[in-house]
Structure formats: C-alpha cells, structure tokens
Amino acid sequence: MVEKLIALSLRNRVLVLLLAAGLFGWGVYALRRNPIDAIPDLSENQVIVFTEWSGRSPQVLEDQVTYPLVSNLQGIPKVRNIRGASMFGMSFVYLIFDDEVDLYWARSRVLERLNYAQRLLPEGVIPTLGPDGTGVGHVLWYTLKAKGMDLGEQRALQDWYVKFALQTVPGVSEVASFGGFQKQYQITLDPTKLNYYRIPLPDVLRAVKSNNNDVGGRKFEMSDMGYIVRGLGYIENIQDVENMPVGTYQSTPIRIKDVATVQMGGDLRLGIFDVNGEGEAVGGIIVMRYGENADNVIRAVKAKMQEVEKGLPRGVKFEIAYDRSTLIERAIASVQGTLVEEMVTVSLIVLLFLFHARSAIIILVQVPLSIAIAFILLEAFGVSSNIMSLTGIALAIGVIVDDGIVVVENAYRHLSEAQQVEEATS
C-alpha cells in the first residue's frame, strides 16, 4: 500500500505539489481564524442566574428565591447539573450543560424557563442571566489615573462614560467596575421628629419614590400652535430631595428637611482596591465573550481606550494593570522561534551528513506543512491556540523532524545502493 502511494505520488508530482500548497494555504487561513489565547479555557459549560434581594438573610433567599428557581429550572434539555448558592442579599444558580451544547442555545432555554419561574418569586424580585463569559475571560484590567479627583467622581466617570464606551467593543461581554464610591443621596431620618409630626415611615418612602419621576401631559393647541405639556420631576441636587413634601401638620406642609438630614455619600463597601500600595484606585475589568479571540479583543479594547481618552477630563488617563496579550505574544513568538531553530538545525544536519541540498529542502517543506495541517485540525475541533496546544505543536516538531531525517536518509541510502547495482551490471 505504501509503495503504491509513493508510486502514485511520483507519477503525479504536479498534483501532489498543488495539494500541498492548498493544505498550506488552508492552514494559514485556519491560523488567522483560530482564537488565540494564553490560557486554555477548561471551564464548564454553564449559565449563571443571579438574583438580588437587598437586606434579606441567606435563609430567606434560600427558601423564597434559590429553591423555587432550582426546582423550576430542572427539566431543561441537556442539563447535567444544577447548583444553588445563597448569601446575604444575593442568590446564585449555576446550570451546568453538556459540553457539546451551544452556550447561546443554553442561555435562551434558561431564559424561557425563567419567564415561567419568576411568578413564584416575591414581588419585585427579578432574576437575571450572568454575562456570557467564563472564568478565564478576564483579559484586561485597567485603572484611571486621575490626580486631584475624588474617588466618587472617578467612579461616576467610570460607570457613566468609560464603561458604556468600552462595552461597544466587539467581543466584550461585560465591563465590571471596581473601586471608589458609588454616589447616592442619603436621607437620615429623625424618629423624634417623625413622631412629633405624626408621619409614618412608609409615607416618607412613598414620597421619595413618587417625587423622583417625570410625568407626561398632553398636547393642546393655542394660536394655531401645538404645545406638549410634561412635568419634570427627576432629582438633580440635594435641595430637590430636601424640599420634597411628606405630609402636613396643622395645615403646614412638612418637607423632608424638616424630619431628616440629606447628604451626598457613598454606597456601602465591602472592600477597597489598592494599586501597588500607593492608594485606592478606580477601574474596570474587561470580560471577554465566550469563544472570542482574546488577542483581537485586547487590541480592539486598547484602540477604543485611545478614543475614549480624548473625551476624559484633563489629567485623567488609563493605566493597564493586567494585560494578557503580553503572555499571548510571547507564547506565539516562542513557538515561531522554535520552528525556525529546528528547521535550520535539521537542514544543517542533513547537509552535513548527506551533502545533498534537495534532501534539506524536503525537511524545510515538511515542517511548516505539518504545522499548517495541525492548525486546520485545531480550527475544525474548536481548540484555541493557547499555551498547551502551541506547546504540543512545538514538541511535535521534534517528532516531525526525526521522521523526516529517517525517511530522507533511508531513501538516500536505497537510491545510492540502486545506483551502485545499476553501475555494476552495466
């Protein structure tokens, strides 16, 4: 069989060369399409359902949120396992699907079932799906370098400008903010004054909620012109909160500032983010979408940062805290260097022992062609170019080279012996 295959290849040399060129071109195309990352994604194929119910204990969340969700999400096709976790104010449900299931098909099935399961939850509790990323999707961390700007202003800049701009980059699943203070209006009620004016606490809560709202009116015509009436009621400053009416006392309106103090403060924090021991900082984490090319996503995010930086206040700049592209580029450069070194070494060895240039050319053609075919298989089976797969290719180069040397030396010896027999008989 091997002899027939070799004979067929010798009789159709042009076809064999065209086939090799086609495989090499296909391999180059597969290399450009194959996702490049430094770390292999070995995480489970999962969908996360997150539910927030502020102020409730873990036991209450377990009984009223986590258990109803877990029991009603069972039965989804191709689900391997369902795990639930409850903590103070938050509930997590992890649905583990079979490895061959498409992630977005799984998310759509979970979303369909959530529409039915939500009716069993307490009023106002809305479960949401987690980002379509994995545990190794944190490809870039950045901080804002803003001297003279307080942490609250930095966090507001991150949440309301930088985050929205970076989320538009293709391949980015989420931009998670960290550090600083989330600004909020804080109302500190005085129980003595509430009791004196006979104003219950629910009336204060209802007044704050109803007064922070725009309302629509209607259109009317006057002097052949149309006018649209609407009410503007959104809170813009502390004075708007202080002047909200919460009730009356002896026909006198009682406002919030009469029964409470209002201030601008930060939300409760469970930790801080420090950079190199130099103080607190504000920044974000770029979470890559599942199956994307990490190197391309990082490049696109950096290009977008340059555009966003033009609109930042004077003196505010980005600083990269973690960048996986450095590891990715070094891993690729290592494999490329290994390939070149082994090709040169083998060519010199063949020339030194055989003194035959055409034999060295065979090795030079065989190694890159074999690697191109390897990338075709990586693309076909959905395996990314990472440290493990690229290292496997680098190790396989040695096997390919050894095989080439043995085959070339064996062919060279048989041809030499055949020539000697032919010369002896002639």
Side-chain angles (χ1 to χ4, degrees):
M1 181 64 184
V2 176
E3 295 178 357
K4 293 181 179 179
L5 182 60
I6 294 175
L8 180 64
S9 300
L10 291 175
R11 288 195 300 268
N12 301 276
R13 298 178 183 179
V14 177
L15 183 61
V16 172
L17 292 175
L18 291 176
L19 179 60
L23 287 174
F24 183 77
W26 188 6
V28 173
Y29 176 74
L31 173 61
R32 296 182 178 227
R33 284 177 46 89
N34 190 249
I36 301 175
D37 202 347
I39 306 171
D41 191 353
L42 304 178
S43 59
E44 295 178 308
N45 193 8
Q46 69 176 1
V47 177
I48 302 175
V49 178
F50 169 70
T51 310
E52 186 175 9
W53 197 15
S54 301
R56 271 63 177 186
S57 66
Q59 187 61 48
V60 173
L61 277 162
E62 178 71 22
D63 296 338
Q64 300 191 31
V65 178
T66 305
Y67 177 77
L69 286 177
V70 171
S71 59
N72 282 273
L73 289 175
Q74 291 178 349
I76 297 178
K78 301 181 181 180
V79 171
R80 191 170 63 211
N81 193 8
I82 300 180
R83 306 165 186 167
S86 303
M87 58 186 67
F88 183 77
M90 292 180 290
S91 168
F92 294 90
V93 178
Y94 303 89
L95 293 96
I96 313 301
F97 287 81
D98 295 336
D99 293 336
E100 68 274 5
V101 174
D102 180 71
L103 177 64
Y104 297 100
W105 180 90
R107 291 172 65 88
S108 64
R109 298 286 81 77
V110 173
L111 193 60
E112 288 178 359
R113 189 61 66 91
L114 279 181
N115 294 331
Y116 170 78
Q118 187 174 342
R119 65 184 181 86
L120 303 174
L121 302 181
E123 184 179 357
V125 178
I126 302 175
T128 57
L129 293 183
D132 53 344
T134 63
V136 296
H138 296 190
V139 295
L140 188 95
W141 289 41
Y142 67 88
T143 59
L144 297 178
K145 184 179 181 182
K147 293 184 178 180
M149 182 180 293
D150 64 79
L151 294 174
E153 294 294 334
Q154 292 184 41
R155 182 59 184 262
L157 182 65
Q158 161 65 24
D159 287 341
W160 301 105
Y161 177 65
V162 176
K163 178 179 179 179
F164 293 151
L166 296 182
Q167 280 182 339
T168 61
V169 176
V172 173
S173 172
E174 182 186 21
V175 179
S177 302
F178 58 80
F181 296 91
Q182 292 181 277
K183 298 172 65 176
Q184 60 179 201
Y185 295 104
Q186 297 177 345
I187 302 175
T188 306
L189 295 171
D190 189 336
T192 305
K193 293 181 179 180
L194 287 176
N195 186 44
Y196 177 79
Y197 291 116
R198 298 178 182 177
I199 298 176
L201 179 60
D203 289 356
V204 179
L205 300 177
R206 186 163 46 250
V208 174
K209 183 177 180 180
S210 60
N211 278 274
N212 185 30
N213 187 26
D214 275 1
V215 295
R218 57 164 294 180
K219 177 183 176 182
F220 72 95
E221 295 184 2
M222 184 174 63
S223 300
D224 295 332
M225 293 185 65
Y227 297 87
I228 298 177
V229 180
R230 63 190 182 99
L232 304 179
Y234 281 133
I235 296 173
E236 296 182 356
N237 48 51
I238 293 178
Q239 288 71 28
D240 290 343
V241 181
E242 292 178 336
N243 293 324
M244 289 181 182
V246 295
T248 59
Y249 180 76
Q250 296 180 356
S251 301
T252 302
I254 305 301
R255 294 168 294 182
I256 284 183
K257 67 179 181 180
D258 298 325
V259 296
T261 58
V262 183
Q263 64 181 3
M264 180 72 74
D267 195 4
L268 178 66
R269 301 196 302 171
L270 301 178
I272 64 174
F273 185 84
D274 181 89
V275 178
N276 298 327
E278 300 175 356
E280 293 189 53
V282 176
I285 302 173
I286 305 297
V287 182
M288 180 184 67
R289 185 168 286 117
Y290 174 79
E292 292 289 337
N293 190 321
D295 192 50
N296 291 344
V297 171
I298 294 173
R299 292 177 185 273
V301 169
K302 289 181 178 179
K304 189 66 175 181
M305 282 182 173
Q306 295 179 356
E307 298 179 10
V308 173
E309 204 169 52
K310 299 177 182 178
L312 295 177
R314 182 176 298 177
V316 180
K317 296 182 179 180
F318 288 107
E319 281 194 350
I320 304 299
Y322 167 72
D323 183 3
R324 194 186 294 175
S325 63
T326 303
L327 182 58
I328 295 173
E329 293 171 358
R330 289 183 179 180
I332 296 175
S334 176
V335 175
Q336 291 176 344
T338 302
L339 175 61
V340 173
E341 291 173 2
E342 294 198 6
M343 289 175 60
V344 172
T345 302
V346 170
S347 301
L348 292 177
I349 291 174
V350 172
L351 288 174
L352 181 63
F353 283 91
L354 300 181
F355 290 101
H356 196 259
R358 295 174 64 182
S359 300
I361 294 176
I362 294 175
I363 305 297
L364 293 176
V365 172
Q366 179 186 3
V367 174
L369 181 60
S370 301
I371 295 176
I373 295 174
F375 277 105
I376 294 175
L377 296 176
L378 289 177
E379 176 69 16
F381 289 99
V383 180
S384 64
S385 300
N386 52 67
I387 290 178
M388 292 183 66
S389 60
L390 294 178
T391 303
I393 293 176
L395 294 175
I397 292 176
V399 179
I400 297 171
V401 167
D402 293 341
D403 176 70
I405 292 176
V406 172
V407 171
V408 169
E409 192 275 335
N410 192 39
Y412 187 85
R413 181 173 60 84
H414 281 286
L415 289 175
S416 178
E417 292 177 353
Q419 289 178 356
Q420 291 178 1
V421 172
E422 184 178 355
E423 291 177 358
T425 56
S426 62

